[in-house]
Amino acid sequence: TWHTMEGLAGHLAGLEEILQNWNTNPGVTGLQLKSISSEISSSLEEISPEDVPSTVKHLVGAPDISDQRSLLHLAKSVAKEKEAADFLRDVCEIFSCLMELHPQLFSHKLTELFSFCKTLFFVNPSAKARVESLNFLEIIFDCQTGTDMAAKYDVAMLANQFRKQLALTSKNSSTVLSQVRQVLGTMCKQFPVEMEIHHQDLLVSFVREIQAALKSASEKLDLTLLTGTIRGMSGIMMAYGIDQDDAEMLESVYEILRRVCRKPEVEDGSVTRRGAMRSALEVFADHNALFTKFLLTDFKYWFNLLKTWVRSNNKDDHKIGWKALNSFLDNMGAAIEELKDTKEVLPLSLKFFIGEFKDILLNKGSSHKNISLAIQGYGKFAGALKKNLQEKDYLYVCQDVLHRTEQLYLHSSQKERESWLLQLPSHLQSCSLLVGQVTSPSSSLFSTLERLVVLLVDQFPQIPAQYQGMAVSAVLLCLQTEKKHGEGSLMEQVVYQALIRSCSHPAVGPLEEVEFGVVTYKSYLPLWSGLLKAHPEGVKFGRADLSEEIYTEVVKNIFTIIEKLDLTTTSVDEALVTNNTGEDAMDVDLTLSQTLANESLSETPQDLTVTDSYGFQKKAKQAKDYTVLVNLVDVCSHVLPLNTAAYSVYSSKLWYSTSLWSAEFPEVSSFYKLADTLLGMENIEEAQEDKKQIIVRYLSEVVQKCPSFQDELQLSCFTLVLNIPPAIAEQLIEELGPVMELLFHLGSSMLHIAERALIATLGWLEVLGQEKMDALLRRVIPQLRVFLATDFESSSEEVTEVKKEKIKRGPLRIDKDKLKKMKIVEKQTGVKVCKLILNLLAQVSTTYKALIFPTEEEVGTAVTAWDMKKHLKVEIPLPDMMLSLHLDGLVPIV
């Protein structure tokens, strides 16, 4: 099978065997090669991520795998053969697919792959193989660039060779010529220094070729050649642009785009291929700023043409049309804003666009696409409108657009809102741009903006991952707009609402898997990462970096939310608890693992029970408040480390508050998890003395209380204890002894706990030394005896056999693969624990090493057992019988 390396090796062995018979019958052998390569190609989608590196090594070769058996070597051996064209094309497609997804895995073979492509193109007579080799060559060029790679590829000589191929029009098919021109454009883009001497000649040549093609009759137009030529021209323009003083070239390229970008009228399946048109639109989208002076005259033509592409039912047409229209409107907005100030008379171009947008919004029958276009259009023309309209007129336009946007999302049905969700970020950006141009925005404008931002935050988990970056940018733009005008309430409300929504979903563990579509706190993490990530590039465009201010608001709202939570509990009748444990009971960390995955906090929460340190059962008064706290702490574990500089300002207050919360609610494990997050961010050696004392006192209390806790609460404290840095552990050595002893006792049945405890002990030992850790080592080392006395490999096999019997006889179906993996992990963990123990013993003196052996008292106890036989027998004669009595249970025995 493909999933195993044996299966891939089998394919390669089959190819090698076939190639040995190549000279006997090349035609038949070529068909066999094609069959195997097709099997490999069709199996690419089934490769699991962990198999990809090994797969690439077998395909292209690696130091630990013989290159003679790799697919690359086998393909090289028939690179000149025409009969192997189908096989060679498949090989290039396989390599292209994998390299696009995992370019780093091919870095060690780029030169050989380049040589293979070059040989295939210049030697093999088959056009399909040559075309695919050029396509693969483009991907190789995209993988790594720079002067060193240009020297390895000898780009200058290669460019000359390709230019000679362009002259051989009779030898090369139009498909090959098209791909050659495209490769030359890619070479200009990736190696601009080396291609400097060629780019102007190539640009002139490509422009003339396109002009000549467009002058010919339409039925003879070679769209394949036209597509490659336009893409080659695009690569040259990406690297060098066009000289603004070269008016003739600018006009020529503009006329080409004007003619080629036209949209066919027919929408059915027989429509003319549109590759050339889409390529021209791509060029227009990327470079229309070069043609601003022409566009200010032809704005009506382009606007109507691009709208036609946007309205297309074809997905590819719509996508490139939207990109081109967005770029066109951005350019037009900036160009009109730079025109001479004429508030007396609006520029014709601005008047046209605003009239179009206004008609769309006023027309109740406007489609979603048109309404979205109008709202975004107003945002792109915000600067031009501000410059050319009176203040009251601009304010009216701004209010009208915000009101219309609010109607779309806040005053429409749920179904309509869902259909508009993907447009919400771009609409919000447009509203922000409009408000940002108002001299003195009213509170009503910011209120509308706030409602839209909160709606976007609320719907953030429903936005596909590829659009979430745009949503974050929209939120940041709104906050920057408010910052520009000196307001402050918007950021406070947005951060607060975002935190509340992040925490108002069923709680899940860090490794717990949930069904697709279920919203948890993890769904909001991309939002927080985007908001709190520093954005220095925004400063270049006059936008403030708000990451530290947002972080400050997050910390403030953490205090606010926790203070509002009702974490009190009431006693529960044990009989009721026993009856409800299966459905309602929850451990003290309140992970809601027993509740429905789609349960909302707006519903009536179930009764939740916890066990305190004395073993009494208690019920939370407000279950949903506990859920909020669990989620909030999980959010903090991801959010607080995002800005360590801003954290240092609030670290003392966070530690002080966490100490108070833990003292008030000692049975709530979430506060210990929060302390663990804070501890991981602290640099104890550089911490201020007063903060260090707060941390030491708090950890001392946790260490003392830890043995009396139970279950999940105790595990949370254990996690915190094991993360104590050596600087603090030195002051807690005496207190840590009983806790570590208990940890290793539990570790005998949960090996991952023992592993973590040993790692912590070794870390402390390395810094403190055995003298300072004397009390701890004397309690810990005797507990390690049970691990070294266990043969984890044989014990694992015995357990496997027992569990196999249960699987065979039991009524339930068990995932055997998962069970097997668990056994393997347990075995590996046991071996790691033993190695860590030996490492620990190697670092201590003989005095401590001897503690691993049992004492004389322990040996004596181990070999001593109760004598269960009865020795004290008394016979009492009675008139009719002899009564036998045993006095062993009545008298003391020494």
Side-chain angles (χ1 to χ4, degrees), residues 477-489:
L477 184 58
C478 291
L479 299 180
Q480 288 163 347
T481 299
E482 185 210 32
K483 177 72 175 178
K484 174 183 175 182
H485 293 284
E487 300 290 331
S489 59

Side-chain angles (χ1 to χ4, degrees), residues 655-665 698:
W655 273 111
Y656 181 74
S657 299
T658 302
S659 301
L660 293 179
W661 294 329
S662 296
E664 185 176 2
F665 305 103
Y698 173 73

Side-chain angles (χ1 to χ4, degrees), residues 51-205:
D51 287 340
V52 171
S54 299
T55 301
V56 172
K57 286 182 180 180
H58 280 75
L59 292 178
V60 300
D64 56 339
I65 297 177
S66 174
D67 286 355
Q68 305 300 317
R69 299 293 299 273
S70 68
L71 181 60
L72 175 60
H73 176 77
L74 297 175
K76 279 182 178 180
S77 65
V78 291
K80 303 177 182 180
E81 307 296 339
K82 182 178 181 180
E83 291 79 4
D86 289 329
F87 165 70
L88 294 169
R89 180 183 61 184
D90 287 347
V91 169
C92 289
E93 288 178 349
I94 290 171
F95 288 157
S96 299
C97 177
L98 287 171
M99 185 176 285
E100 281 189 310
L101 297 174
H102 311 281
Q104 71 282 359
L105 299 178
F106 290 83
S107 58
H108 65 292
K109 288 287 183 178
L110 285 179
T111 306
E112 291 184 42
L113 290 168
F114 167 78
S115 176
F116 167 67
C117 290
K118 187 177 176 182
T119 302
L120 184 57
F121 175 77
F122 287 106
V123 178
N124 196 290
S126 173
K128 53 188 173 185
R130 298 178 73 201
V131 168
E132 200 57 46
S133 70
L134 291 176
N135 183 46
F136 183 30
L137 195 60
E138 283 191 80
I139 297 174
I140 293 175
F141 288 153
D142 289 336
C143 189
Q144 280 189 15
T145 60
T147 306
D148 293 340
M149 298 308 297
K152 290 181 180 179
Y153 298 149
D154 198 354
V155 170
M157 179 178 290
L158 185 64
N160 288 324
Q161 292 173 331
F162 280 144
R163 292 188 67 179
K164 290 179 181 179
Q165 290 294 319
L166 291 178
L168 303 175
T169 55
S170 59
K171 180 181 177 181
N172 295 313
S173 66
S174 60
T175 308
V176 173
L177 292 173
S178 171
Q179 199 66 34
V180 170
R181 290 171 180 169
Q182 192 168 319
V183 169
L184 283 168
T186 301
M187 291 172 65
C188 288
K189 183 171 63 175
Q190 300 297 347
F191 307 103
V193 176
E194 290 75 15
M195 294 294 293
E196 175 73 28
I197 60 175
H198 298 283
H199 88 274
Q200 190 62 34
D201 292 340
L202 288 173
L203 180 60
V204 172
S205 172

Side-chain angles (χ1 to χ4, degrees), residues 636-678:
C636 289
S637 67
H638 292 84
V639 169
L640 292 180
L642 293 177
N643 194 326
T644 53
Y647 163 77
S648 61
V649 178
Y650 298 96
S651 59
S652 296
K653 185 177 180 181
L654 282 166
W655 273 111
Y656 181 74
S657 299
T658 302
S659 301
L660 293 179
W661 294 329
S662 296
E664 185 176 2
F665 305 103
E667 284 84 24
V668 179
S669 66
S670 293
F671 293 129
Y672 304 112
K673 294 178 181 178
L674 177 59
D676 187 40
T677 299
L678 301 179

Side-chain angles (χ1 to χ4, degrees), residues 246-382:
D246 192 349
E248 182 181 355
M249 179 60 71
L250 282 173
E251 187 173 358
S252 298
V253 175
Y254 176 73
E255 287 300 324
I256 288 174
L257 297 179
R258 201 176 191 281
R259 292 190 60 185
V260 179
C261 288
R262 66 183 186 277
K263 178 78 163 54
E265 300 294 334
V266 187
E267 283 283 356
D268 58 22
S270 61
V271 70
T272 306
R273 289 181 299 166
R274 303 177 190 172
M277 301 168 186
R278 291 173 187 154
S279 298
L281 277 175
E282 190 80 36
V283 175
F284 179 83
D286 293 335
H287 305 288
N288 66 80
L290 295 172
F291 315 110
T292 301
K293 63 179 181 181
F294 304 111
L295 297 178
L296 285 172
T297 304
D298 286 349
F299 55 85
K300 291 183 182 180
Y301 169 81
W302 284 103
F303 183 73
N304 292 322
L305 174 66
L306 296 176
K307 277 203 307 181
T308 306
W309 282 91
V310 170
R311 286 197 296 264
S312 174
N313 295 325
N314 183 287
K315 183 179 179 181
D316 293 329
D317 288 351
H318 172 75
K319 184 177 180 180
I320 187 59
W322 217 193
K323 178 181 177 181
L325 183 57
N326 267 319
S327 176
F328 170 67
L329 293 177
D330 282 334
N331 185 32
M332 286 292 93
I336 295 173
E337 187 177 358
E338 292 177 2
L339 293 177
K340 185 178 179 181
D341 188 1
T342 55
K343 291 193 176 182
E344 298 294 331
V345 180
L346 285 179
L348 290 178
S349 52
L350 180 60
K351 188 175 182 180
F352 167 77
F353 286 117
I354 299 308
E356 290 286 325
F357 300 152
K358 184 176 180 181
D359 290 342
I360 291 173
L361 294 183
L362 292 178
N363 186 0
K364 295 183 179 180
S366 296
S367 65
H368 286 187
K369 292 179 181 179
N370 283 337
I371 294 175
S372 180
L373 169 63
I375 294 174
Q376 292 185 57
Y378 273 116
K380 296 177 187 299
F381 284 84

Side-chain angles (χ1 to χ4, degrees), residues 227-240:
T227 301
T229 309
I230 291 175
R231 290 176 179 171
M233 182 180 70
S234 176
I236 297 172
M237 293 172 64
M238 289 287 289
Y240 308 102

Side-chain angles (χ1 to χ4, degrees), residues 679 684-685 692 695-697 699-700 703 720-738 740 757 759-769 771-777:
L679 189 61
I684 299 300
E685 288 76 9
K692 189 183 297 186
I695 297 174
V696 171
R697 284 198 299 269
L699 293 176
S700 176
V703 170
L720 175 59
V721 169
L722 293 177
N723 288 329
I724 294 177
I728 294 179
E730 182 180 1
Q731 305 177 49
L732 303 175
I733 286 296
E734 295 289 342
E735 302 170 25
L736 283 172
M740 297 301 291
I759 292 173
T761 304
L762 284 167
W764 297 335
L765 180 62
E766 182 180 358
V767 177
L768 303 179
E771 290 78 11
K772 294 181 179 180
M773 290 186 61
D774 177 75
L776 181 64
L777 292 174

